[in-house]
């Protein structure tokens, strides 16, 4: 069975500072990994995904994440935080399931606060 | 190109009642998944529909049921509502052709059970 652990339910950064949101996963098979962002009262928007190609993945809004197999990590970073980045971020892992389907498991989320 | 749409946006029901939520997938997508997101939690997988059949199911009771129509739209039904069913219900669509792992989410339906 797969699982996702997001370290830190709340993270605060100053505007212009580095954003680092941590995600560790557990999977018995090579996984696909995702970061989603959720703004208040909205659905989830895909930020970026890792699907076994390049280990450094670039996404939208200046975010990127690096897949590190040895550390089972997929941390999300952004060099300079903007006020508009304040939201909740979810890491997710997807693995093959019986019948050729994918089973997606989400972490519990990290709320990012950006301080002016 | 319309994305995933869900209706209604908000819903208030009483314990014991039944509710139906609706989802239209992104154009070109044939698979619909439903998730429950309780306040302060990550989305929890309920079930997935493809070719009008439930293909996989998460750890939810039989009170939760669904349906997929020939046009790929889907409904989520919850019977005998409990207070604990209050949550944001998210629909996600994907394509068996381009990869089921890439899901596009709708804005959700906020269900409040009183």
């Amino acid at each position: 069975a797969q699982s996702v652990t997001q370290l830190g339910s709340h993270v605060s950064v100053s505007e212009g500072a580095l954003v680092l949101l941590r995600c560790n996963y557990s999977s018995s098979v090579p996984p696909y990994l995702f970061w989603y962002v959720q703004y208040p009262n909205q659905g989830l928007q895909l930020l970026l995904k890792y699907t076994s190609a390049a280990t450094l993945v670039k996404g939208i809004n200046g975010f990127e994440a690096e897949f590190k197999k040895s550390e089972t990590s997929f941390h999300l970073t952004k060099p300079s935080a903007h006020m508009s980045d304040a939201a909740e971020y979810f890491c997710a892992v997807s693995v093959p399931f019986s019948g050729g389907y994918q089973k997606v498991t989400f972490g519990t989320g990290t709320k990012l606060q950006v301080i002016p | 190109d319309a994305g995933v749409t869900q209706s209604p946006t908000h819903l208030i029901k009483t314990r014991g009642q039944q509710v139906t939520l609706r989802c239209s997938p992104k154009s070109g997508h044939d698979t619909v998944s439903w998730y429950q997101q309780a306040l302060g939690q990550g989305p929890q997988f309920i079930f997935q529909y493809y070719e009008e059949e439930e293909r996989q199911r998460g750890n939810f009771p039989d009170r939760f049921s669904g349906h997929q129509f020939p046009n790929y739209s889907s409904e989520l039904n919850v019977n005998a509502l409990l207070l604990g069913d209050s949550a944001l219900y998210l629909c996600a669509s994907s394509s068996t052709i381009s990869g089921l792992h890439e899901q596009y989410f709708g804005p959700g339906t906020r269900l409040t059970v009183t």
Side-chain angles (χ1 to χ4, degrees), chain B residues 17 19-20 41 51 59 78 91:
Chain B
Q17 286 187 318
V19 67
T20 298
Q41 301 295 319
E51 290 188 329
N59 189 26
V78 186
C91 168

Side-chain angles (χ1 to χ4, degrees), chain A residues 32 34 38 49 90 102, chain B residues 37 48 56 101-103 106:
Chain A
Y32 294 152
F34 306 85
Q38 186 176 36
K49 61 182 179 182
F90 292 92
Q102 296 282 334
Chain B
Q37 186 180 17
Q48 182 179 79
Q56 53 174 319
H101 54 271
E102 184 161 351
Q103 299 184 94

Side-chain angles (χ1 to χ4, degrees), chain A residues 19-105:
Chain A
V19 175
L20 171 60
L21 304 183
R22 300 177 185 274
C23 173
N24 289 89
Y25 70 91
S26 172
S27 174
S28 57
V29 298
Y32 294 152
L33 295 162
F34 306 85
W35 276 99
Y36 288 87
V37 61
Q38 186 176 36
Y39 297 98
N41 300 312
Q42 294 188 26
L44 276 68
Q45 180 183 10
L46 180 66
L47 274 178
L48 49 78
K49 61 182 179 182
Y50 166 77
T51 57
S52 74
T55 57
L56 181 62
V57 181
K58 294 187 183 299
I60 62 172
N61 301 338
F63 285 94
E64 64 181 36
E66 186 173 8
F67 172 69
K68 292 187 176 180
K69 184 178 179 180
S70 61
E71 299 177 8
T72 60
S73 68
F74 190 58
H75 302 331
L76 181 69
T77 61
K78 181 174 181 178
S80 176
H82 295 165
M83 295 300 296
S84 60
D85 295 328
E88 189 157 19
Y89 293 79
F90 292 92
C91 181
V93 59
S94 176
V95 298
F97 195 73
S98 61
Y101 299 93
Q102 296 282 334
K103 181 176 174 65
V104 181
T105 301

